[in-house]
Amino acid sequence: MVRHLGRSRSRSTGPPGTVRPHRVPRAFAEGEPGARRGPDGRGPGAGLRSVLSGRSVAGQVFVLQVVVVLVLVAAAVTALVLQARYDSTQEARNRSLSVAETFANAPGTRAALNSRDPTAILQPQAEATREATGVDFIVVMNTDGIRYTHPLPDRIGKRFVGTIEPALRGKSVTEEVEGTIGHLVQAVVPVEAPDGTVVGLVSAGITTEHVGGAADRQLPLVLVAAAAGLAVATAGTALVSRRLLRQTHGLGPREMTRMYEHHDAVLHAVREGVLIVDGDGALLLANDEARRLLGLPDDAEGRHVRELGLDPATSELLSSRRVATDEVRLVKDRLLAINQRPTDLEGGPPGSVATLRDSTELRALSGRAEVARERLDMLYAAGVGIGTSLDVTRTAQELTELAVPRFADFVTVDLFDAVLAGEQPEAGPDLRRTAFGGIRDDAPLYPVGQRIRFVASSPQTRSLRTGQAILEPRLNKAPGWQAQDLERTAQVLEYGIHSLITAPLRAGSLILGLANFWRARKPEPFDAEDLALAEELVARAAVSIDNARRYTREHTMAVTLQRSLLPRRLPEQSALDVAYRYLPAQAGVGGDWFDVLPLPGARVALVVGDVVGHGLHAAATMGRLRTAVHNFSTLDLAPDELLTLLDEMVTRIDQHESEEGGSAPVTGATCLYAIYDPVSRRCAIARAGHPPPAVVRPDGSVEFPDVPAGPPLGLGGLPFETADLELAENSRLVLYTDGLVEDRGRDIDVGLELLRDALERAGPSPEDTCRAVVDTRLSARPSDDIALIVARTHALGPDRVASWDVPCDPAAVARVRSSVTRRLAEWGLEELAFTTELVLSELVTNAIRYGGAPIRVRVMRDRSLICEVFDSSSTAPHLRYAAMTDEGGRGLFLVAQLAERWGTRYLPGGKVIWAEQPLP
């Protein structure tokens, strides 16, 4: 009943003695033993009659609930009947259409329609199907609607009754008709020839009463259940109404209204605020005095107490339902003593009742307590709100956001440039304005980013020199501060800023800069208590700024190291168009790396690696592995052989780390090494624990080739395997590290599918592919480094490659020279003919003399002229200085002098000696 109480201006006209008492003995109110008569002096039978009579509130509720139950039962029965009818019709449609389509598409139906006597063939089949499926008829007809079959033989040969035009156009049609056997649903389906021509029609139909019946069977059960539910609901409603009758003491609406009017008059006449709040914190009732003391809006009743504009402490107390005795709260300009008691201590409804008494004489004491509480709260907020990031500028800005407007109207932070760079600051008068916060943005103070040189008489310089905070209570009487900049200080005073506290940001023995607190709106100047609070705030902020400075230094060192170890630019080569991306992780620098390495014979090696972990150790290890790959690639090894050497090197590094007491082994490094040959368009790939590559074919399809996954580097003892891929020209080879496809919240299989989708939508160029992958796959702050290389393949066509088989005959050298000279003339390289003849003469002669058959010569025109001689011998030639008396030994020396580069690479069936000459 409390929820319905509120302020009312009506007044009762009856004598006060007619009001029923608000509280009755517990035994009578709760129906305990001894309550032999009702609250109105009548027995229990009279109470039940009062319920059924409908004159009391309980009786009216009883009648209303019974009517609602009857309406619900009627609605349930009606809904069941309608649903049953709809289900019967829908099932008839589905069954007739299914049977018609099945018979129309059955083997032999189309052939029977084209036979001389379709009826003789189709009538038995139609009747058998009708009996098996339970439909009422199956009719086969020609395109004119003349029946071939019918359950009644006398109907055969007559025109079908129904719609057949859509079926003649090749579409199935279902309709409801009223037939001689009742309401039925029939479907007409075309029988089509192989060329799509309609050669006949099949119709199946069924009456809805044959598919229904469930509702008729369920209706008696529903009616019985409804009757039982009505009986139970009526009995329950009677019990509830009897309970309501006891709680309302048998009062009728008129009597309850009269009692409410007297209750309302007394409640609003007292000069003490009264509030009633329910268990959810919503305001149920507030008298006139409570509205005046708290300044409540007109629509306060029904709203949560936290929505009434009260201070948080008062709102928390009124919604907490806890016991309070004379607790003093400052509400607007009044000090209120609040008493509160819960209403459910003796079985009442959940909630609380609070009384308010004005105690303004305690205002001064409460004001000082509030100031102390606010300062403690500010210091607590400084501990959790300053230093949330490891960014120097952001940390300085957090100090300004905390202090404005709770402590000062404007706050500026000035730091040494060395602090912003992460270095250790040196004492001096020059600082840079790093952060600004204020109640307005147009204050005439130095702007953020400006370098400031403070004069010797300024409080800032004195604070830096002494390391102590300095208070200037009245800036208009501070000549030392005004001497800093006469024009600007005059503008500051004119703006209304009148008081200053400047405090050094000290971290141990280091002074990082200054924090300046300015007051303008409050007329009172800063005092000694404000100075102490400012020192506390600045001391907490200085520790966070110093931590950010140290992190900045370490991060800058690690980033500089990593950037220096990654390739500055890609080498020039013609086999691949390459684009790449490197994105550092949120946690800092890591060990991801990549390289593009030109190899002899116009080939190019691509390498991607990842050292597990972050920081300087990972970056340094990455540099060691990258250097090792550079060195091993000069040996022109197969990918699996190179990874084997790299694995041995990592194992030795781990052993040295263990012997020296190191705690950061390299185990966990992965690598993928690929060599692309533009002449054969074949790519040899091997990987050591690295994610598989992706290949985007020229048609845009994406696949992940099956490249055997070797163990990560450093495990040792397990072999690596090389996969040989043939790539069409303009294919895109995509290499990446695991940070692109895997993180803590996503499995690698899901990441690979997302990568596939991004590659399928990417443009044809490597740069477009990189951009699409990064834009669609990368989160705002990745948890791991990401290295990505996209290489589009080119082919060195037959017009730029010439090869000859050479017999093991010294006379064949002359024929090779002639053939090469003619090919160089075709290429317009006559200037290189002489040196090329000398180089090939020496190399072919050595192959014939010291090598073995077969011997082949290949010449390629790329960015340089490349000459290769292959023989089956595995012995390597060595360059040496021939003595004056030696008859030989000068051939390779001559080749080394004429060629820009030369060398040897080994193949499974022999070796290749190559030499490169720059093009004119």
Side-chain angles (χ1 to χ4, degrees):
M1 295 303 294
V2 175
R3 182 176 299 276
H4 299 283
L5 295 179
R7 184 175 181 188
S8 174
R9 294 299 181 185
S10 59
R11 294 291 183 266
S12 175
T13 56
T18 62
V19 179
R20 294 182 180 271
H22 287 256
R23 185 176 179 86
V24 296
R26 183 178 180 86
F28 291 93
E30 300 296 334
E32 296 178 356
R36 300 183 178 277
R37 304 189 66 81
D40 53 358
R42 295 176 292 177
L48 182 59
R49 289 192 298 272
S50 177
V51 170
L52 298 177
S53 67
R55 289 192 298 271
S56 64
V57 174
Q60 296 175 8
V61 171
F62 174 80
V63 174
L64 178 61
Q65 290 182 339
V66 171
V67 171
V68 170
V69 172
L70 288 173
V71 171
L72 291 177
V73 170
V77 173
T78 303
L80 177 63
V81 173
L82 295 178
Q83 182 65 34
R85 291 180 179 178
Y86 173 81
D87 292 343
S88 298
T89 302
Q90 195 66 26
E91 184 179 351
R93 284 176 173 268
N94 295 337
R95 187 185 299 182
S96 61
L97 180 61
S98 174
V99 172
E101 290 179 343
T102 302
F103 195 86
N105 296 320
T109 301
R110 185 173 65 250
L113 288 171
N114 296 326
S115 67
R116 300 181 60 183
D117 189 1
T119 301
I121 300 173
L122 296 175
Q123 176 69 7
Q125 297 177 359
E127 288 302 298
T129 304
R130 179 179 65 81
E131 294 176 1
T133 57
V135 298
D136 290 315
F137 67 84
I138 297 178
V139 174
V140 183
M141 68 197 85
N142 62 12
T143 55
D144 294 329
I146 303 302
R147 300 187 183 101
Y148 289 146
T149 67
H150 196 277
L152 302 177
D154 59 340
R155 304 290 177 90
I156 297 174
K158 297 182 180 180
R159 183 176 296 278
F160 175 75
V161 178
T163 303
I164 65 173
E165 286 75 9
L168 294 175
R169 295 193 297 270
K171 299 180 179 179
S172 300
V173 60
T174 305
E175 59 183 348
E176 299 181 28
V177 298
E178 290 292 338
T180 58
I181 60 176
H183 184 78
L184 58 86
V185 176
Q186 64 182 11
V188 182
V189 177
V191 180
E192 298 180 348
D195 59 355
T197 305
V198 178
V199 299
L201 305 173
V202 176
S203 175
I206 185 172
T207 58
T208 55
E209 66 180 9
H210 287 174
V211 296
D216 297 336
R217 294 189 299 270
Q218 295 175 0
L219 186 59
L221 179 62
V222 172
L223 293 176
V224 171
L230 178 61
V232 172
T234 303
T237 302
L239 294 176
V240 172
S241 299
R242 184 176 179 182
R243 175 67 175 175
L244 181 61
L245 178 67
R246 289 200 304 270
Q247 291 184 345
T248 57
H249 308 298
L251 299 178
R254 183 184 300 275
E255 294 171 320
M256 294 183 65
T257 300
R258 185 170 55 189
M259 183 180 68
Y260 165 76
E261 291 175 347
H262 287 274
H263 170 272
D264 192 62
V266 174
L267 182 67
H268 294 289
V270 298
R271 299 308 301 169
E272 190 172 61
V274 178
L275 294 174
I276 301 179
V277 180
D278 68 5
D280 296 329
L283 180 65
L284 298 179
L285 182 143
N287 66 350
D288 291 343
E289 183 67 7
R291 292 175 178 272
R292 183 184 69 84
L293 294 176
L294 298 178
L296 298 179
D298 295 336
D299 60 345
E301 293 177 355
R303 295 169 58 184
H304 199 280
V305 293
R306 293 192 181 94
E307 302 175 359
L308 301 179
L310 304 176
D311 64 280
T314 304
S315 300
E316 190 278 331
L317 172 61
L318 295 178
S319 62
S320 65
R321 298 170 54 193
R322 64 181 176 85
V323 176
T325 302
D326 288 335
E327 289 194 15
V328 178
R329 291 287 187 271
L330 178 62
V331 180
K332 295 181 174 58
D333 58 343
R334 294 183 176 87
L335 282 175
L336 302 181
I338 302 177
N339 291 273
Q340 181 171 269
R341 295 293 185 274
T343 57
D344 54 355
L345 293 179
E346 297 183 5
S352 61
V353 176
T355 60
L356 312 175
R357 186 173 64 256
D358 194 355
S359 301
T360 309
E361 63 274 7
L362 300 177
R363 180 177 304 171
L365 179 60
S366 177
R368 289 195 294 269
E370 180 65 20
V371 170
R373 187 194 64 80
E374 178 67 22
R375 292 187 173 184
L376 289 176
D377 182 65
M378 188 182 304
L379 291 176
Y380 172 77
V384 298
I386 299 178
T388 59
S389 68
L390 291 175
D391 182 81
V392 174
T393 302
R394 177 58 192 159
T395 304
Q397 188 64 36
E398 288 173 347
L399 173 60
T400 67
E401 294 172 356
L402 174 73
V404 175
R406 301 169 66 179
F407 177 65
D409 298 321
F410 300 94
V411 178
T412 58
V413 178
D414 307 321
L415 300 176
F416 292 106
D417 287 335
V419 175
L420 297 174
E423 303 297 333
Q424 186 167 326
E426 297 181 0
D430 295 344
L431 293 96
R432 189 173 299 278
R433 177 76 24 109
T434 305
F436 169 83
I439 57 177
R440 295 173 59 184
D441 297 332
D442 58 348
L445 300 170
Y446 288 116
V448 173
Q450 181 169 342
R451 188 180 181 86
I452 307 171
R453 176 180 287 270
F454 290 105
V455 298
S457 62
S458 65
Q460 287 84 356
T461 301
R462 287 185 285 136
S463 179
L464 291 175
R465 185 173 59 250
T466 62
Q468 301 295 326
I470 293 179
L471 168 64
E472 289 288 355
R474 302 189 183 280
L475 293 177
N476 58 354
K477 298 180 180 179
W481 171 78
Q482 296 179 16
Q484 172 66 34
D485 186 342
L486 296 178
E487 181 179 357
R488 184 177 295 273
T489 54
Q491 295 174 355
V492 170
L493 292 174
E494 183 180 356
Y495 186 81
I497 298 176
H498 59 84
S499 189
L500 164 67
I501 293 177
T502 180
L505 291 159
R506 298 186 57 179
S509 60
L510 295 180
I511 295 182
L512 309 176
L514 291 168
N516 304 288
F517 303 89
W518 313 81
R519 177 170 287 181
R521 184 172 52 184
K522 189 176 181 180
E524 295 83 4
F526 287 120
D527 55 21
E529 293 184 357
D530 296 325
L531 181 64
L533 178 60
E535 289 178 331
E536 289 287 341
L537 289 175
V538 171
R540 297 173 184 244
V543 174
S544 298
I545 292 177
D546 188 53
N547 290 336
R549 176 190 68 85
R550 294 173 183 271
Y551 171 79
T552 300
R553 180 183 61 188
E554 298 296 333
H555 182 72
T556 303
M557 291 172 58
V559 169
T560 302
L561 173 61
Q562 186 180 42
R563 294 295 184 185
S564 65
L565 295 176
L566 291 174
R568 303 292 181 86
R569 61 182 180 86
L570 298 181
E572 295 182 356
Q573 42 82 31
S574 302
L576 299 170
D577 290 338
V578 180
Y580 66 91
R581 292 289 189 276
Y582 175 78
L583 300 158
Q586 175 184 0
V589 297
D592 291 13
W593 54 283
F594 63 91
D595 249 322
V596 179
L597 307 172
L599 298 178
R603 298 169 303 138
V604 178
L606 298 175
V607 57
V608 175
D610 182 7
V611 177
V612 175
H614 298 89
L616 288 175
H617 185 272
T621 304
M622 175 266 289
R624 299 168 74 177
L625 296 182
R626 179 170 177 258
T627 302
V629 171
H630 269 267
N631 295 334
F632 293 153
S633 67
T634 60
L635 302 177
D636 213 343
L637 301 174
D640 57 335
E641 296 176 0
L642 185 142
L643 290 182
T644 300
L645 294 178
L646 199 62
D647 179 66
E648 293 176 358
M649 189 199 77
V650 172
T651 302
R652 288 195 301 269
I653 293 176
D654 285 344
Q655 291 175 352
H656 294 328
E657 289 282 348
S658 300
E659 293 173 359
E660 297 175 3
S663 59
V666 188
T667 302
T670 65
C671 183
L672 184 147
Y673 189 79
I675 298 177
Y676 174 70
D677 187 348
V679 178
S680 63
R681 293 184 290 103
R682 303 196 71 83
C683 183
I685 304 177
R687 60 189 179 114
H690 204 80
V695 175
V696 185
R697 300 297 182 184
D699 61 357
S701 62
V702 179
E703 65 175 339
F704 294 93
D706 185 14
V707 179
L713 299 175
L715 293 183
L718 296 175
F720 300 96
E721 297 182 53
T722 297
D724 199 10
L725 309 178
E726 183 174 354
L727 302 179
E729 189 171 8
N730 292 323
S731 296
R732 282 167 284 164
L733 183 63
V734 182
L735 309 180
Y736 52 91
T737 55
D738 60 354
L740 185 68
V741 296
E742 188 177 14
D743 58 27
R744 296 184 181 92
R746 181 180 61 229
D747 188 71
I748 188 172
D749 293 335
V750 178
L752 290 177
E753 287 303 316
L754 294 175
L755 176 60
R756 182 194 299 272
D757 295 340
L759 293 175
E760 289 175 347
R761 295 192 300 269
S765 70
E767 189 64 32
D768 292 340
T769 304
C770 284
R771 186 180 304 110
V773 171
V774 171
D775 290 346
T776 59
R777 290 283 303 106
L778 184 63
S779 61
R781 298 182 68 83
S783 59
D784 194 7
D785 289 12
I786 294 177
L788 171 67
I789 298 180
V790 179
R792 184 171 58 189
T793 62
H794 295 292
L796 204 60
D799 59 328
R800 301 171 64 183
V801 180
S803 61
W804 301 271
D805 291 329
V806 181
C808 292
D809 183 3
V813 177
R815 292 195 297 271
V816 172
R817 288 199 301 265
S818 300
S819 300
V820 171
T821 301
R822 287 193 299 269
R823 181 52 61 96
L824 292 180
E826 294 175 4
W827 287 344
L829 300 177
E830 293 87 349
E831 299 179 15
L832 299 178
F834 178 72
T835 57
T836 304
E837 288 181 6
L838 290 177
V839 170
L840 285 178
S841 295
E842 293 297 332
L843 296 181
V844 174
T845 301
N846 285 343
I848 294 174
R849 179 176 300 178
Y850 305 109
I855 299 174
R856 288 189 299 272
V857 174
R858 186 170 69 171
V859 179
M860 294 177 287
R861 179 171 61 87
D862 190 39
R863 291 180 177 270
S864 60
L865 183 65
I866 305 170
C867 300
E868 296 181 343
V869 177
F870 169 83
D871 67 82
S872 60
S873 173
S874 60
T875 58
H878 297 284
L879 183 66
R880 65 186 180 88
Y881 288 97
M884 294 295 295
T885 59
D886 290 344
E887 295 183 0
R890 297 177 179 84
L892 286 180
F893 183 80
L894 180 63
V895 171
Q897 297 301 313
L898 296 176
E900 183 180 39
R901 294 193 309 154
W902 76 279
T904 305
R905 73 172 182 270
Y906 293 93
L907 302 176
K911 68 177 182 297
V912 174
I913 303 177
W914 55 270
E916 294 184 3
Q917 303 175 70
L919 297 179

